[in-house]
Amino acid sequence: MIKPSNRKVVVVDVDLTVVDAVGPWVDYMNKVTGASFELSEGQMYPYNLTGIFKHYLEGDEDIGMLFDYWKQRDVYDNLTPYEGAVEVLGEISKRGYDVVFASVVKGDHSKSKYYFLKKHFPFMAGCVFTREKGYIKADYVIDDRNEYLRQFDVPTKRIRINTPFTQDVDLPVYASVDNWEGVRELIYEGEFR
């Protein structure tokens, strides 16, 4: 449970927001299927990439095995945050905000994800694993998926990190940025005072 404080709260997603866990998932699916698929610059993809690999499976092989990557206990052990994520979130924390991570987990990788966050974001105020992120009271939310951003009502300011993945729902957002430098620009435009 997150301790209440007098500080404002910034809820931050993990996958494709502060770290690329999808690239290693593609590598995993290539390995188990024998494919040689690569994400291409400028292309848009569905978040569920298993459909791309489905035709590489033989006979009765279960497409669910492609999700086994997310069930591994060490998924985040050797990953590195996106450039600028640690510095920008650290600056937001220094400006008096509680940085709370909210993320979905599958299988046994929750400890790996938690220790990844503790290691790289020691200033984090909390970490919540849930699909229902909108139940966290927040002043700002930073996520890559409209599906989760829409769970937060106004006056929460929704900031979307753009990715090469298609959105399932349309949603007006407060700001749409391409990377953590874009979030940093919001800081200097007067946000996060």
Side-chain angles (χ1 to χ4, degrees):
M1 177 170 226
I2 299 173
K3 296 182 214 173
S5 76
N6 294 331
R7 293 164 53 106
K8 290 184 177 183
V9 175
V10 178
V11 171
V12 183
D13 175 49
V14 178
D15 299 312
L16 293 175
T17 301
V18 297
V19 66
D20 177 14
V22 172
W25 183 35
V26 169
D27 293 343
Y28 172 86
M29 290 189 288
N30 277 328
K31 183 178 177 183
V32 299
T33 64
S36 57
F37 173 77
E38 292 182 16
L39 295 172
S40 298
E41 187 80 29
Q43 294 284 343
M44 296 298 287
Y45 299 95
Y47 274 98
N48 181 353
L49 292 170
T50 59
I52 293 168
F53 291 87
K54 182 167 64 172
H55 66 275
Y56 290 100
L57 299 175
E58 295 180 18
D60 294 334
E61 287 182 303
D62 181 13
I63 199 165
M65 70 183 252
L66 299 176
F67 286 106
D68 287 348
Y69 168 79
W70 298 105
K71 296 177 181 175
Q72 300 175 97
R73 292 182 177 196
D74 63 348
V75 170
Y76 297 84
D77 290 3
N78 297 308
L79 299 183
T80 304
Y82 284 131
E83 183 178 341
V86 174
E87 296 79 14
V88 172
L89 289 172
E91 188 169 336
I92 289 171
S93 176
K94 287 178 186 170
R95 288 176 179 248
Y97 287 80
D98 281 342
V99 174
V100 176
F101 289 96
S103 189
V104 176
V105 295
K106 294 178 189 244
D108 290 337
H109 78 254
S110 59
K111 283 185 183 177
S112 177
K113 187 178 274 191
Y114 177 78
Y115 289 121
F116 165 84
L117 294 170
K118 263 319 229 187
K119 175 182 177 183
H120 295 287
F121 304 92
F123 49 82
M124 78 175 182
C127 179
V128 180
F129 296 130
T130 182
R131 288 187 180 281
E132 307 302 330
K133 299 175 184 182
Y135 282 103
I136 303 168
K137 185 179 181 317
D139 298 281
Y140 291 86
V141 59
I142 304 171
D143 204 308
D144 64 299
R145 293 184 78 160
N146 287 354
E147 173 184 350
Y148 295 113
L149 289 168
R150 76 175 175 180
Q151 293 178 4
F152 293 86
D153 293 326
V154 174
T156 303
K157 292 183 178 176
R158 300 178 279 204
I159 301 169
R160 183 181 57 231
I161 301 276
N162 296 320
T163 67
F165 296 92
T166 57
Q167 299 292 336
D168 295 336
V169 295
D170 289 330
L171 177 75
V173 294
Y174 172 71
S176 181
V177 298
D178 291 325
N179 51 39
W180 283 95
E181 189 57 38
V183 177
R184 176 176 275 129
E185 289 172 13
L186 290 175
I187 292 172
Y188 292 110
E189 288 174 3
E191 294 300 329
F192 305 104
R193 295 180 235 214

